[in-house]
Amino acid sequence: IYNHYHFSTYSHFEVFNTVHTLYFLREYMKNSAIPDILTDENALTDYRKLHHLIVIDKQGKLSTNGNFTTLQQILGTGCIHSKIARSFPVKELIQPENFISLLYYFGLLTLDGIDEENKAILKIPNESVRRLYYDFIRKTYEETGVFSFKLNELEIQMKEMAFNGNWKPLIEYIAGKLNQAQGVRDLFTAEKSIQAFFNVYLGLSEFYLIYSEKELNKGYADLVMVPFLIQFPMVKYAYIIEIKYTKPLGSVKSKIPVKRIQFLGKEAEIQLNHYIQDEKFSKSIGNTTLKKLVLIFSGAQLVYSNEV
C-alpha cells in the first residue's frame, strides 16, 4: 500500500513512504486494526495543493486544463513517459513536463525505468496513491460541472455488489451518469475512455483494489476488482469486467444490430475465460465468488450488460 518507490535507475530496491508507514503503525497500535483511512490527513493537505494546477477559473466558470487530461491518462494506463525537470520557476508549473515532474517530486509517480528516447517511465507507485488520483479526478468532475454523483447512493450500491453479488444497479447508475453528461459525452469515443471513467468511480470503493489493463494469463483485462480482503474479509464477490465499444449509428434512435452485439459479447466471453486461468489472480481473490461481466457501449450509451 505504501511501497514500490524508486528514485534511481541504478537501484533495484523498493522503498516505502515513511510518512504514510508511520501513520499506519500509529493508527494500528491504537486499535490493533487496519485504519479505515489509509492516507494521513496531513499529507492529503499537501496533495490537494495540486488542485490549482488542474482547475482554472475563466470569468467565474471553472474548467480543466491539459494537466487534468494528464492525470486521466496516468490513471488509465498506470504510467507516463516524460523527462524529469530538475528545476523550474513557479510560473511554469502548469507546463506538462513540469507538472509531471512535480507529481514525481510529490511521490505521486515513481521511476519504473528508461525508454528508448531516454525518457523516464513513471508509474503510480501503490494503492494509496492510486486512490488519491481517484479523488482528484472525482472532485474535478464535480467542481467543473461535468458529473455529480451521490456518494451515499454509490456506497449503498457498492455494498450490494460486494456482499450480495448484485452488480447491475451500480453499473447502470454509473453508465447512466456518463450518458447524461451532454457536454462531454462526445469525449468518450473509445473503449479506453469509458474504461477510465469506470476505473475512477469503481475505485471510490474501499472494498476493492481496482486494476485497469491488468495483465492476466498473457492478456490484459479491462477492469479487475480484487476484494481488499486484508481490511474487509467479509466481502463475498470479486469481479472482472470486459468493455467493448462500437461506434454509434447515425441516428440516436437507431439500434445496433443484434449480430454485432452477439459478436462482441462472444469475443468478450472468450477473453474473460482466458484471463481467469491466471493462477496468481485466483489466489488474490481468496474464497470469494468471481463474477465475469461484459459491458458493450455504443458511444456513451450502455447497450448491453451481462454476466457470463
Side-chain angles (χ1 to χ4, degrees):
I1 295 177
Y2 306 123
N3 61 341
H4 301 308
Y5 287 95
H6 285 98
F7 297 104
S8 172
T9 55
Y10 300 103
S11 173
H12 300 290
F13 293 98
E14 297 178 345
V15 295
F16 285 76
N17 183 311
T18 53
V19 172
H20 294 167
T21 303
L22 290 173
Y23 159 80
F24 177 91
L25 292 173
R26 186 184 71 232
E27 294 300 308
Y28 186 88
M29 291 171 68
K30 288 179 182 178
N31 304 305
S32 297
I34 295 174
D36 293 333
I37 300 174
L38 295 175
T39 306
D40 187 354
E41 184 65 28
N42 293 323
L44 287 176
T45 301
D46 288 334
Y47 293 139
R48 286 170 184 148
K49 295 175 183 175
L50 292 172
H51 168 270
H52 302 290
L53 302 179
I54 60 177
V55 176
I56 56 178
D57 188 333
K58 290 184 176 179
Q59 298 179 340
K61 184 177 181 180
L62 297 178
S63 61
T64 60
N65 58 21
N67 290 333
F68 181 66
T69 304
T70 298
L71 287 182
Q72 290 177 304
Q73 177 188 343
I74 292 169
L75 185 57
T77 63
C79 71
I80 195 166
H81 295 223
S82 175
K83 288 191 176 294
I84 299 174
R86 293 189 176 274
S87 63
F88 40 82
V90 174
K91 64 181 180 179
E92 295 180 7
L93 274 177
I94 63 171
Q95 293 183 6
E97 189 173 290
N98 293 340
F99 178 70
I100 294 168
S101 299
L102 191 66
L103 294 179
Y104 168 73
Y105 292 130
F106 264 74
L108 298 175
L109 291 172
T110 193
L111 280 172
D112 193 38
I114 301 294
D115 66 14
E116 63 277 2
E117 297 180 357
N118 203 34
K119 291 182 177 180
I121 303 172
L122 299 166
K123 69 174 185 177
I124 299 174
N126 50 51
E127 183 62 23
S128 177
V129 171
R130 190 182 303 277
R131 293 187 179 193
L132 287 175
Y133 278 96
Y134 292 142
D135 197 48
F136 280 148
I137 291 176
R138 176 187 66 83
K139 287 182 177 177
T140 303
Y141 278 150
E142 291 179 353
E143 288 182 3
T144 55
V146 174
F147 302 105
S148 180
F149 280 74
K150 295 179 180 178
L151 293 183
N152 59 336
E153 188 170 344
L154 207 66
E155 183 180 354
I156 291 170
Q157 292 171 344
M158 182 58 78
K159 285 181 179 178
E160 277 291 309
M161 198 171 183
F163 301 115
N164 298 322
N166 187 13
W167 55 269
K168 275 210 169 189
L170 179 60
I171 294 298
E172 291 180 353
Y173 177 68
I174 295 175
K177 286 291 185 179
L178 171 62
N179 192 41
Q180 291 169 15
Q182 300 285 343
V184 296
R185 66 181 183 180
D186 288 341
L187 298 175
F188 294 87
T189 55
E191 176 185 317
K192 297 299 180 188
S193 52
I194 293 171
Q195 177 182 317
F197 181 78
F198 270 85
N199 191 1
V200 169
Y201 284 96
L202 292 175
L204 294 176
S205 169
E206 296 179 340
F207 299 134
Y208 291 96
L209 305 178
I210 309 296
Y211 299 97
S212 177
E213 292 295 313
K214 184 172 179 62
E215 185 174 1
L216 297 176
N217 198 22
K218 298 181 180 179
Y220 293 90
D222 286 340
L223 290 171
V224 178
M225 301 175 66
V226 177
F228 193 17
L229 294 174
I230 294 176
Q231 191 170 17
F232 302 101
M234 68 293 289
V235 171
K236 295 181 179 179
Y237 293 89
Y239 293 87
I240 181 169
I241 303 172
E242 191 66 20
I243 297 172
K244 294 297 179 183
Y245 177 86
T246 183
K247 289 183 178 181
L249 299 178
S251 171
V252 177
K253 296 183 180 179
S254 299
K255 291 186 177 180
I256 304 300
V258 174
K259 286 187 177 180
R260 175 63 176 163
I261 291 177
Q262 290 175 336
F263 172 80
L264 292 174
K266 187 63 179 178
E267 184 180 59
E269 182 178 352
I270 292 171
Q271 289 175 295
L272 289 168
N273 288 330
H274 176 75
Y275 298 146
I276 64 172
Q277 303 303 316
D278 190 279
E279 292 183 9
K280 188 175 179 181
F281 169 66
S282 297
K283 291 179 181 178
S284 71
I285 64 173
N287 295 322
T288 59
T289 299
L290 176 64
K291 286 182 174 281
K292 302 170 291 180
L293 308 183
V294 177
L295 307 180
I296 300 176
F297 282 82
S298 172
Q301 182 179 7
L302 179 65
V303 295
Y304 178 88
S305 62
N306 198 25
E307 183 179 335
V308 297

